Structure formats: structure tokens, C-alpha cells
Amino acid sequence: MIIKPPIKILLIEDNPDDYSFIREMLEEIEDQFELANAETLKKGLKSFDDGQYDVILLDLGLPDSNGFDTFNKVHNHAPRTALLILTGLDDEEIGNRAVKEGAQDYLVKGQIDSKLLFKSINYGIERNNLVLDLAQRESNLSALMENTTDSIWSTDIEGNLLTFNSKFQKLYKKYYGIELAQGIKLYDHIPADEIKLWETVNKRILRKERFSFEKVYESPGTSIYVEISVNPIISEDDSVIGASFFSRDITERKKTENSNKVALEEKEMLIKGIQYWVKNNMDIVSSLFDMQIRHLEEEVENVLKESHGRLKSMTMISEKLYQYENLSKINFKDYVADLVNDIFYSYGIKNGTIHPKLEIEDINVDINTAIPLGLIINELVTNSVKYAFPQSKGTIKIKLKSSPDQLELTIADNGVGLPDDLDYKNTDSLGLQLVYDLVRQIDGENELDRSHGTQFKITFNSTRKE
């Protein structure tokens, strides 16, 4: 049985009777609470700085601060903490304004009981966490779009521009002379010699196809080749409502192919690796966007969190891989160490809590092995970090050993373990489905051991490079 940690509450309230009443209401609830009280705004802000609280209950009338100004000061001081106003002032206008500007709820003394207080506290914490996660997701997606070397944009079904990054904006202005703005209809500004191309693209979008095609942007003195991946956006009622586009500059790749300056093995490996990464990465990104749209009404929090994590992990894996000069000889030991460190940093794992234990042989693998193994490790280590250790204590072990013909990858934790009745090959969990599909992709076999925590052992044919 998993024991939930107590909810830590800071009450900023100067009335002793109200403090006693609130404490009595909390004691009626089965859930565990830790309640601290401060009689003034100054003491409340100091208490917040000295401790870690899940929620703040705030009276607007304090000896050293009064009215809406009290809310502003606390909210500005603790913008990432759930804040509930608990006041004797029954003013609907102030309540609506406070909730609009960041409060999670507005409760009036004398009009609440223990059940309402418990519901408001839990709702406030959950809503605040969702708001923070959505803000982080939006920030990370925006950074992802701006930091990538690809041109990214999306349109509705009529071709009206919905989102775009600066790379696409510069490209469109350079080759078409058009200053982009949200809502502009792209199909009205394409050259006459491209109309048939985009009509064909639009027809395939309406047929719900995911596909890629190559295109040349030409202007006096310069031309670039691009590969454009197209992904229809499907609504909850299974109709096409738009499309997302990812355009990658492949000019240098084209030059390499045409001039044949690169050795055949390296050339083929680079081409296959880039094509593999572009197509599979964009397919996964598209699937995540589809899942978000299909689940927006019922599972928005979990879907957005999981999608955000995978988008970030795929970007990270891509950045790590492209740091290697030779994509056919990637040092797997260094690669895994960097990957695990980034996961721990991303989830804020502190020293002395969850320990990574790496036993990786010093071998090289090619990009076609490194990508799926990186995604498998990311999924399983992230799963352990998030769910295996409710007390934030434990060990995650990653081991890779080789034999003449096979490699064996083990990812294990000593946490709470997966449910006994869970069939990871036939589950609704996107993460475990992804692991299962990636293992099949490398023609591997997987063994799941739940006797001591959770252990995945994956064996596959060796593709290491000397």
C-alpha cells in the first residue's frame, strides 16, 4: 500500500478562532494535513520562504495588509504555489477577479464545511499543477520550434496559417516575398508552378495520409532542397481539421549524393539514419498530436504531460546523436550516461534520492541501433523515476553486456513494481506499447521480471562497431 505524504498547508490568518475552526475541519478529514499558521502577511511570506508548502490559505484582511493588494503580494511572492482565498468578505466581484488572476478558489468563512474545504484544497493543488505543466509545455514546445533547424508550421483545412516558427517565416519571405502572419491563407500566395503540387498535398491530407515529399526553393543565385513531412490533424469526431508540416533542409545531403564524395558505407548510413530519424520522429510527433486532440476533453492532464515528455526526449536524443561525427560508431557507454543524466536533471532528481547504476560495456553501435535503444531507455527510466519510487528512494540499474552474436540490455529498478495483472504487450499505456514496438523494431526479445521491483531484459543481434 502506497502511503501518500501529508498535504502541507500555510494558513495566513490573524483570527485565532478562525484558525482553530479551520484546524478542526481539517481534522475531520481522513487525509493527512500539516497546518502552519502566520498572523500577518510579513510572517506568512517568511514562513513560506522557510518551508515547502503545497497550498496557501489566505485571509484578505490582515493587520499589515488588506484587500486585493494582499492577494497580489502573496501571489507575486509564491506564483507556483496553489493559492486559495479564505475570507469573511462575501464579494463575488473580488472572488471572480482573484480566480481570474491566479487564485485557485475563493471561499467565504461561515459558508464552508470540511468536505468543501477538502475538495477546494485538492482541486486547487491539481489545477495549479496542471496550469504549471501547461505553461512549461508551451514554453518547451515554443523553444523546441525555435531552436530546431527545421521549418515548422500548421494550417487549418482551408490552408489558413495557425502556427509557425521563425525558420519558416524567413524561408517564406526569402523565396516568396511574403511577410507571414497568423491567419494568412498560404494557398493564396503560392507560385503558379506549385499549385498542382499543393493541390495533390491537400488531397492526400483529406485522405488522412501521413507522407513526405521533396521540394526545391529557388531564387536568383540560390536554391535549397527540402524534405517536407506532412501529418494530418484529426479531430475527436475523426475528421481532418488541418495539418502540421516539418521541412528539413537536405541541400548538403543532395550535394553529397550527387558528387559521391563520401565513402559508400558512410554515405548510406547517413542517408538511412537521417531518413529513419525524420520519418519515424515525425510519425511519433504526429501520433502524439493526434492523441492530444482525441483526449482533450477527458484526459487532458496526463496526455499533455506524457506527450510533452516524449517530445522533449526525442529532441534530446536527436541532439545527442548529432554530436557524434561518425554516426556508424556511437559510443554507447557515453551515450547512455548522458541520456540518464539528462532524464534525472529534467525531473529534478536530487542527489541521495534515486541512484542510477550503470554497467555498460565500452562498445560502439550505429545510429539505427542507438535511436530505438535510446527511446527504450528513456521510456523505462522515465517510468521508474515517475512511478516506481513514491518515497523518492531507490536504484535504477542499466546494464549492457555483449556476446559474440548478441547484446543484452537490462533496465531494472527496485521500486513498487508493475501490477501482476498487467500485460505490457497488450496495454493502453502508450509508453509500454512504444517499448514493445521498439524491441520488435530491432528484432529483439524482451523478458519482464516483477519479482523484485521491475526488470526489463532485452536481447538482440549485435550491430556493434569496432
Side-chain angles (χ1 to χ4, degrees):
M1 179 179 178
I2 299 175
I3 301 176
K4 296 192 300 183
I7 298 175
K8 296 183 179 180
I9 303 171
L10 174 61
L11 173 65
I12 306 179
E13 169 63 67
D14 64 322
N15 189 320
D17 292 335
D18 289 338
Y19 166 66
S20 298
F21 181 62
I22 292 168
R23 175 173 286 280
E24 290 173 2
M25 282 196 292
L26 292 174
E27 289 174 350
E28 295 177 10
I29 302 169
E30 292 183 0
D31 283 51
Q32 294 296 311
F33 294 89
E34 290 183 6
L35 180 66
N37 181 233
E39 299 85 4
T40 66
L41 177 62
K42 183 178 180 180
K43 290 180 179 179
L45 298 182
K46 186 177 186 304
S47 294
F48 177 83
D49 291 337
D50 293 341
Q52 294 183 337
Y53 295 96
D54 301 302
V55 62
I56 299 174
L57 298 180
L58 175 66
D59 183 11
L60 294 180
L62 298 170
D64 56 345
S65 183
N66 189 54
F68 201 79
D69 185 53
T70 305
F71 161 76
N72 280 333
K73 290 177 180 177
V74 175
H75 184 55
N76 291 335
H77 193 83
R80 298 180 61 83
T81 302
L83 175 59
L84 280 69
I85 295 176
L86 183 60
T87 180
L89 184 61
D90 187 4
D91 189 321
E92 184 176 349
E93 182 178 348
I94 290 181
N96 290 335
R97 181 183 174 192
V99 171
K100 183 178 180 180
E101 296 192 18
Q104 305 305 323
D105 208 346
Y106 184 90
L107 304 174
V108 179
K109 298 174 184 176
Q111 299 181 13
I112 61 171
D113 56 19
S114 59
K115 290 183 178 179
L116 177 59
L117 181 59
F118 171 72
K119 181 178 179 181
S120 294
I121 289 174
N122 278 278
Y123 170 79
I125 293 173
E126 291 174 3
R127 183 173 180 269
N128 184 64
N129 289 339
L130 178 59
V131 169
L132 293 176
D133 183 73
L134 290 175
Q136 185 63 44
R137 172 182 173 274
E138 182 178 352
S139 174
N140 284 333
L141 285 177
S142 178
L144 172 64
M145 287 181 66
E146 287 305 316
N147 291 330
T148 182
T149 57
D150 298 342
S151 295
I152 301 175
W153 72 99
S154 64
T155 67
D156 63 18
I157 199 61
E158 301 296 330
N160 298 308
L161 189 61
L162 300 178
T163 58
F164 58 94
N165 65 356
S166 59
K167 304 291 190 304
F168 181 64
Q169 185 178 36
K170 292 177 182 177
L171 181 145
Y172 217 80
K173 184 175 182 179
K174 178 177 180 179
Y175 290 97
Y176 295 148
I178 303 297
E179 193 71 50
L180 291 180
Q182 193 173 36
I184 189 174
K185 192 166 186 176
L186 290 181
Y187 294 161
D188 289 344
H189 300 282
I190 59 176
D193 59 353
E194 292 187 20
I195 291 177
K196 287 187 177 181
L197 168 65
W198 289 102
E199 285 178 346
T200 301
V201 168
N202 199 44
K203 288 178 182 178
R204 297 185 67 178
I205 291 172
L206 293 174
R207 293 198 297 265
K208 302 178 185 178
E209 295 183 27
R210 296 189 182 99
F211 59 97
S212 298
F213 65 96
E214 293 184 4
K215 182 184 181 308
V216 182
Y217 287 100
E218 295 184 296
S219 67
T222 179
S223 297
I224 65 168
Y225 291 83
V226 298
E227 182 176 50
I228 301 176
S229 295
V230 185
N231 305 282
I233 300 175
I234 313 298
S235 69
E236 191 175 16
D237 63 1
D238 202 37
S239 61
V240 179
I241 60 174
S244 58
F245 302 84
F246 302 82
S247 174
R248 170 159 293 185
D249 186 341
I250 58 171
T251 305
E252 291 304 315
R253 194 183 84 193
K254 283 291 185 181
K255 291 179 179 178
T256 300
E257 291 174 357
N258 294 334
S259 63
N260 197 24
K261 291 181 180 179
V262 179
L264 182 60
E265 181 182 354
E266 283 298 309
K267 173 184 169 182
E268 290 178 349
M269 182 61 67
L270 182 59
I271 293 171
K272 290 179 181 178
I274 293 175
Q275 287 178 337
Y276 172 94
W277 179 245
V278 172
K279 295 181 185 297
N280 284 276
N281 190 9
M282 294 308 109
D283 283 345
I284 293 171
V285 171
S286 175
S287 297
L288 292 173
F289 280 136
D290 288 348
M291 178 172 286
Q292 290 171 354
I293 294 171
R294 293 174 185 273
H295 292 77
L296 277 177
E297 296 298 328
E298 56 186 10
E299 295 178 333
V300 61
E301 181 177 3
N302 290 335
V303 170
L304 293 180
K305 283 183 178 179
E306 295 295 333
S307 299
H308 163 252
R310 291 189 179 94
L311 285 170
K312 185 175 180 181
S313 68
M314 283 187 288
T315 303
M316 178 187 66
I317 290 171
S318 175
E319 291 173 349
K320 292 294 180 189
L321 289 175
Y322 283 121
Q323 291 174 5
Y324 290 91
E325 293 182 2
N326 190 337
L327 296 180
S328 67
K329 291 185 178 181
I330 296 169
N331 186 279
F332 198 69
K333 184 176 183 179
D334 295 340
Y335 172 55
V336 173
D338 289 344
L339 184 59
V340 172
N341 286 337
D342 284 344
I343 294 172
F344 273 53
Y345 178 80
S346 176
Y347 282 91
I349 305 302
K350 298 179 180 178
N351 290 334
T353 56
I354 302 174
H355 299 279
K357 185 177 180 181
L358 306 183
E359 297 178 9
I360 310 293
E361 291 187 16
D362 194 12
I363 62 174
N364 295 322
V365 298
D366 62 41
I367 190 172
N368 292 323
T369 301
I371 289 176
L373 289 184
L375 291 173
I376 289 171
I377 291 171
N378 178 77
E379 279 296 327
L380 295 180
V381 172
T382 298
N383 218 39
S384 294
V385 166
K386 292 172 65 177
Y387 304 116
F389 308 108
Q391 303 300 322
S392 297
K393 291 285 185 180
T395 300
I396 299 175
K397 181 178 179 180
I398 303 176
K399 182 178 180 179
L400 180 72
K401 65 178 183 178
S402 63
S403 63
D405 299 320
Q406 283 192 322
L407 294 176
E408 182 181 285
L409 175 66
T410 303
I411 303 169
D413 65 60
N414 60 353
V416 297
L418 296 173
D420 291 335
D421 58 349
L422 176 68
D423 179 4
Y424 85 98
K425 297 180 182 179
N426 297 286
T427 177
D428 291 332
S429 167
L430 177 61
L432 291 180
Q433 287 180 2
L434 182 59
V435 170
Y436 179 63
D437 290 339
L438 288 169
V439 171
R440 289 196 305 169
Q441 184 176 302
I442 59 175
D443 295 324
E445 295 181 358
N446 180 51
E447 295 178 20
L448 174 59
D449 183 354
R450 293 181 253 212
S451 59
H452 301 287
T454 302
Q455 175 179 288
F456 286 86
K457 184 164 69 175
I458 300 163
T459 56
F460 53 97
N461 291 334
S462 173
T463 57
R464 64 186 188 274
K465 304 293 181 179
E466 300 301 327

